[in-house]
Structure formats: C-alpha cells, structure tokens
Amino acid sequence: MPEKSLNILAVMGSPKNKSITRAVLVHLAENLAADGCAVDILDLQTDPLPLYSPDTAHDAPEFKTIQARVERADVIILGTPDYHGSISSTLKNFLDYFWYEFAGKLFVPMVASHEKGLTVIDQLRTVARQCYAWILPYGFSFAESDLKDGLLHNETLKKRLEMLRRDARVYGQLIADQRRADLSGADPCFMARHRK
C-alpha cells in the first residue's frame, strides 16, 4: 500500500442513524482509504459539539480534540442531507466552530437530496469562499432511490462517485502540496497570514 500522505476528514453531517448520507460517505471513505489516503470519519452524532456560541464554544472539552482533527486534514468531505434546501443544523454547527483551520484546504460536498441539492452545494461554496478554502467545482447529490441495501445501484451515480473519489484525491493532493509550500515560503499569497 502506498504511503498515506493525503489526510482526509469525512464529516458526517446527518443526525439520522440509518441515513443514506452515512452509507455513501462511509463507502467513499473506505475507497479513499484503499487508495492510500489517511481517512478520518468524524461522525457528529457520536462526536457532537455543543451548540455554537462565540462566548463559550472554544472552551468546550470536545472542541480541542475535533479542532486537531480538522487541522490535520488536507481535504474535508462534507456529507449532509438537504433540509429545506439547506445544510443540516448538525453540519452548520460544525462549520460555525472553524474558519482559520479551513484556509487553503479542499472541500468536497456530498448531499442527500430529492431536489439535486443545488442550494445546499451553493451554501457550502459560500462557506468555502468565506473561509479561504477551495471547493470542487461540482457537487455530488443522490437520493434514497439511488441506493439499495445501503449501496448505490444507479450506474450513472456510481461513475460520478468514482469521479468524485479521483478528484478529491488528485486535486486534494495538489492543493495540499501547494498549501504546504505557501506556508513554508515567503511569496505573497493568501496563506501568508497563516505562516508561523
């Protein structure tokens, strides 16, 4: 197996036990691990953060542990159901905790939706832009009817998921390498403010 150089954080933003978001996110995470990536699944149901409050959030005992996982990541896969054309409150709460840690990293959106998840993906693009993160130029959405026994059976979506898997790995590595170079360099760039 190749050396694990790309760190991927797969964030489960569904509060439902048997969610299709969970099934597809875990499938993608397992395949990326088989590709040689170091994959960490952050399940916000089993590792929850308290409701975000700017006054107290960073004092929560859970915060430092999850912050270290976010900092370690090169790529952040964001899995969420489409709730009324928006991201789940579970995922929104997670995103509210971080911004500095997202800078220069790749976001990969995955949305369980009966409506293609377009507004949800647009909202994740806005979050990425506000946090100086990169995001894939397309999103991946799927519906319950696309799964059978917890696995995708729609051949078109299977191919799209393979494209997402490849692009998360390839572009994630390119962006991670450039991010590291920018952090250690002296050139003027938007990552300069993050140099230590």
Side-chain angles (χ1 to χ4, degrees):
M1 179 179 283
E3 182 181 337
K4 293 183 178 183
S5 59
L6 188 66
N7 292 305
I8 297 177
L9 181 66
V11 181
M12 170 52 59
S14 176
K16 189 176 176 185
N17 283 330
K18 292 187 176 183
S19 74
I20 61 171
T21 307
R22 181 179 312 283
V24 176
L25 184 86
V26 168
H27 175 79
L28 178 61
E30 289 172 349
N31 280 285
L32 286 165
D35 290 338
C37 301
V39 181
D40 177 10
I41 298 176
L42 173 57
D43 188 335
L44 295 170
Q45 188 177 28
T46 56
D47 288 318
L49 285 162
L51 185 62
Y52 181 77
S53 166
D55 296 328
T56 60
H58 299 129
D59 298 328
E62 305 88 343
F63 170 70
K64 288 290 183 195
T65 303
I66 293 176
Q67 181 187 37
R69 293 166 76 179
V70 174
E71 286 177 339
R72 198 169 32 249
D74 299 308
V75 174
I76 301 171
I77 300 169
L78 299 169
T80 182
D82 179 339
Y83 286 165
H84 307 302
S86 186
I87 61 179
S88 70
S89 59
T90 306
L91 185 62
K92 177 66 167 83
N93 190 57
F94 164 78
L95 293 169
D96 286 345
Y97 271 84
F98 307 101
W99 67 271
Y100 185 88
E101 295 85 354
F102 294 149
K105 297 181 179 184
L106 179 66
F107 278 11
V108 176
M110 291 180 55
V111 181
S113 176
H114 297 285
E115 300 293 330
K116 298 185 182 178
L118 297 176
T119 57
V120 181
I121 293 165
D122 282 344
Q123 290 166 6
L124 292 172
R125 280 193 184 106
T126 299
V127 171
R129 185 173 59 247
Q130 290 296 114
C131 296
Y132 294 94
W134 300 97
I135 189 165
L136 285 181
Y138 62 91
F140 179 78
S141 68
F142 49 93
E144 197 166 348
S145 60
D146 295 316
L147 280 81
K148 184 176 180 183
D149 300 324
L151 298 172
L152 279 175
H153 67 83
N154 179 320
E155 289 304 317
T156 302
L157 273 179
K158 281 183 182 180
K159 289 178 184 172
R160 232 172 122 67
L161 187 60
E162 283 304 305
M163 180 177 78
L164 184 79
R165 170 184 171 188
R166 181 261 183 205
D167 289 348
R169 189 181 73 248
V170 171
Y171 291 105
Q173 189 68 62
L174 290 168
I175 290 169
D177 291 345
Q178 188 60 55
R179 183 179 189 273
R180 282 191 279 278
D182 288 348
L183 287 171
S184 63
D187 292 340
C189 60
F190 80 93
M191 287 305 299
R193 69 167 68 176
H194 296 273
R195 292 177 182 145
K196 295 180 182 178

